[in-house]
Amino acid sequence: MKQVQETKKLLIFEETKGKITKVYRQNKEDEKNEKTFIYSKNSKQIECEFEGEQIKKIIIDSPKDFPHFVSAFGYGFAENSLNNFFKYNFKNKEVETLVLSENNKSEKKGTSLIINYSDLEDLLSKINQEQRACNDTKKILIKNLVVEIFPNVNFDFTETNNNKDLILRNLNDKLIEKLTANEIEQIGNFYVKATRKFKASHIVKKMTAGLLKNAQILTLQEIIQKYEKLLKDNPSESEWQRFFDEYITLFDSRYVRKIDYKNIATGITKYPDLVLVDIYGYVDFYELKKSGTQLIQYDNSHKTWFWSKDVSMVISQVSDYLQKAKENALSYAKSIKDETETETEQGLNVNIINPRAIIVIGHTNQLDTDKKKNQFKNLRESLKDVEFVLYDELLERLKNLLDTIKIDK
């Protein structure tokens, strides 16, 4: 055995027997002068020891020189993140050996993972780029804090993450789960600005349509999640009113505008929960009751089902809205136009001709027999200009709408 190399901390020795040369290291500070085996080599390969939980060897196939990405002193990969990954992440993966090859393609072969030099070089380039970007971002964040706290210090604010490859690599489905609504809106605004780079109108239309579809999907998913929670909790009517007031124009494309009816001089003191204008300018009145409201009751004397007291009251209530709206159609329309007029926009022209009232109430779980279902169907169809929508029916509509958008996408 002869010494062939010396570093600041190590002595390197070689021992040759026939065509095989074994290489060892010795720590200079080791009083016992113990030598640790690093690798063996011949004309065809270098076989390195590796201290992985399952992977025990790194084989360098047909080497011209010892590759720079593997430590020649027996410490595995020169890049620490590679070392840690291959040491600790291959339990029960049927992989025992890494083969690094300049000529063979990357693939799994038996219990070996063959990794081509070019794939490894590309990976290391991305890791280094990520690390450089991270270090640059840290510097920028520190500088921006100084700018924010000490404006008199002569630094300029700098935007972070301007590395294109880094940004594109991080645009994946896992990122979506971590984004807030405001952050998604920020990305959407950037997307719209990015489309201006292209002068071809068909490209802009395609990109904008894609953004719209994705925005619809994200919005509907959020609405459905909140709706399901409300349906489970059976909250007060005011809670449902807040939900519909915020979201109905997002999930029902018929409607383009909500009217703040209470600010309009109509001469009445009782107001619908929601007043909505559809795409044709027609007005609908919404009345919201609790999802647990009883729908129908049984009449023992006539052996039939009739509206519950709560439903009868709300039918009477919305009928009154409709009657007053028809009697005062012209003045109502003028009041709405005057109220919605702004400095830059004309007021809203609406049509109060045979307006509809939509009652959102109850749940189909009350209709647990065929007779109840049929009676409820007959009762709801007997009403003129009044439509019943059960809360779970509306949830089903939302889910179907989401599925349709996903399919079209």
Side-chain angles (χ1 to χ4, degrees):
M1 187 179 295
K2 63 178 180 179
Q3 180 181 327
V4 294
Q5 188 180 354
E6 181 177 357
T7 71
K8 186 176 180 179
K9 295 183 178 182
L10 299 175
L11 298 174
I12 306 300
F13 297 87
E14 282 187 358
E15 180 182 47
T16 302
K17 290 182 179 180
K19 295 181 179 180
I20 298 176
T21 298
K22 293 186 176 181
V23 181
Y24 301 82
R25 69 170 183 263
Q26 177 188 316
N27 194 313
K28 287 182 178 181
E29 296 180 357
D30 185 2
E31 295 178 356
K32 296 181 180 180
N33 295 329
E34 290 184 347
K35 295 175 178 60
T36 302
F37 175 68
I38 304 176
Y39 62 87
S40 63
K41 62 180 179 178
N42 56 35
S43 60
K44 293 184 178 180
Q45 66 180 33
I46 298 174
E47 187 175 303
C48 306
E49 297 292 294
F50 188 67
E51 298 178 351
E53 291 184 341
Q54 185 157 314
I55 298 175
K56 302 297 183 183
K57 292 187 184 300
I58 297 177
I59 295 175
I60 302 165
D61 183 40
S62 304
K64 295 174 184 175
D65 298 298
F66 210 96
H68 69 89
F69 38 75
V70 176
S71 168
F73 303 121
Y75 302 113
F77 290 99
E79 167 56 48
N80 195 45
S81 57
L82 274 179
N83 252 358
N84 289 335
F85 182 84
F86 286 110
K87 275 185 179 181
Y88 305 118
N89 290 278
F90 279 82
K91 291 181 181 178
N92 305 317
K93 297 291 185 184
E94 298 181 354
V95 176
E96 298 173 358
T97 305
L98 298 178
V99 180
L100 310 181
S101 177
E102 190 170 11
N103 302 314
N104 295 317
K105 67 178 182 178
S106 297
E107 62 177 335
K108 184 178 183 295
K109 207 168 186 179
T111 59
S112 297
L113 285 185
I114 301 172
I115 306 176
N116 185 270
Y117 277 19
S118 61
D119 291 332
L120 199 53
E121 292 281 12
D122 182 55
L123 172 62
L124 288 168
S125 175
K126 289 177 179 177
I127 290 173
N128 291 334
Q129 187 181 47
E130 193 93 21
Q131 289 171 341
R132 285 195 301 271
C134 183
N135 290 333
D136 289 343
T137 299
K138 289 176 183 177
K139 291 176 184 177
I140 291 170
L141 290 173
I142 295 168
K143 181 169 69 71
N144 287 347
L145 179 66
V146 173
V147 172
E148 183 179 347
I149 298 177
F150 309 105
N152 294 331
V153 178
N154 191 22
F155 281 126
D156 293 325
F157 181 87
T158 306
E159 295 288 348
T160 58
N161 288 340
N162 57 357
N163 183 297
K164 182 183 76 172
D165 292 336
L166 177 63
I167 292 169
L168 292 175
R169 282 204 304 276
N170 283 287
L171 289 178
N172 53 59
D173 291 347
K174 289 183 179 180
L175 178 64
I176 294 173
E177 302 302 321
K178 298 179 181 179
L179 293 173
T180 65
N182 288 336
E183 288 166 343
I184 291 173
E185 183 180 4
Q186 186 178 350
I187 291 173
N189 291 336
F190 173 81
Y191 188 101
V192 172
K193 290 178 183 177
T195 61
R196 296 171 188 163
K197 176 179 178 181
F198 301 97
K199 294 182 179 179
S201 60
H202 68 283
I203 295 178
V204 175
K205 288 179 181 177
K206 182 179 178 182
M207 293 175 73
T208 305
L211 176 62
L212 180 60
K213 288 289 184 186
N214 287 326
Q216 285 178 306
I217 289 172
L218 288 169
T219 302
L220 273 173
Q221 286 172 336
E222 180 183 1
I223 290 170
I224 288 170
Q225 187 177 22
K226 290 184 177 181
Y227 193 101
E228 286 177 327
K229 185 178 185 308
L230 286 170
L231 196 56
K232 180 181 178 182
D233 295 344
N234 187 28
S236 64
E237 293 169 13
S238 59
E239 278 289 308
W240 280 116
Q241 186 170 346
R242 278 193 288 273
F243 175 84
F244 276 82
D245 189 61
E246 182 174 359
Y247 293 114
I248 191 165
T249 55
L250 296 177
F251 66 73
D252 196 327
S253 58
R254 291 177 300 175
Y255 300 117
V256 294
R257 184 78 175 263
K258 293 194 303 288
I259 300 296
D260 190 353
Y261 207 63
K262 295 178 183 179
N263 290 336
I264 296 171
T266 57
I268 61 174
T269 56
K270 183 79 176 163
Y271 305 96
D273 289 328
L274 285 172
V275 179
L276 298 163
V277 181
D278 69 15
I279 56 176
Y280 303 107
Y282 290 96
V283 170
D284 285 344
F285 301 114
Y286 269 71
E287 193 64 29
L288 310 172
K289 296 300 175 184
K290 291 185 69 173
S291 55
T293 302
Q294 183 182 1
L295 295 172
I296 54 178
Q297 294 176 253
Y298 190 65
D299 182 352
N300 282 305
S301 60
H302 296 90
K303 307 298 181 185
T304 188
W305 294 86
F306 62 97
W307 291 124
S308 70
K309 179 180 177 181
D310 288 334
V311 174
S312 296
M313 288 176 65
V314 74
I315 291 172
S316 175
Q317 193 175 333
V318 298
S319 297
D320 189 50
Y321 298 152
L322 295 175
Q323 183 61 32
K324 284 186 168 59
K326 292 174 185 175
E327 290 174 355
N328 301 279
L330 293 177
S331 61
Y332 279 14
K334 184 178 184 305
S335 296
I336 291 172
K337 183 177 177 62
D338 292 342
E339 176 63 27
T340 55
E341 185 176 345
T342 66
E343 184 179 347
T344 57
E345 295 182 1
Q346 291 185 345
L348 196 63
N349 289 311
V350 299
N351 297 305
I352 307 181
I353 302 171
N354 293 325
R356 292 186 312 156
I358 293 92
I359 301 171
V360 185
I361 192 171
H363 195 289
T364 56
N365 59 13
Q366 298 181 39
L367 309 174
D368 51 2
T369 67
D370 288 340
K371 188 159 188 177
K372 287 182 184 178
K373 290 175 186 176
N374 292 332
Q375 288 292 321
F376 178 75
K377 181 176 181 293
N378 292 336
L379 287 169
R380 80 196 298 188
E381 290 179 353
S382 67
L383 297 170
K384 185 184 179 189
D385 300 326
V386 176
E387 178 185 340
F388 273 85
V389 178
L390 306 187
Y391 278 94
D392 57 315
E393 290 177 338
L394 184 53
L395 176 60
E396 194 62 29
R397 289 185 197 176
L398 292 177
K399 290 181 177 180
N400 290 338
L401 177 59
L402 178 59
D403 289 340
T404 301
I405 294 172
K406 285 180 176 179
I407 292 170
D408 290 343
K409 184 175 182 292

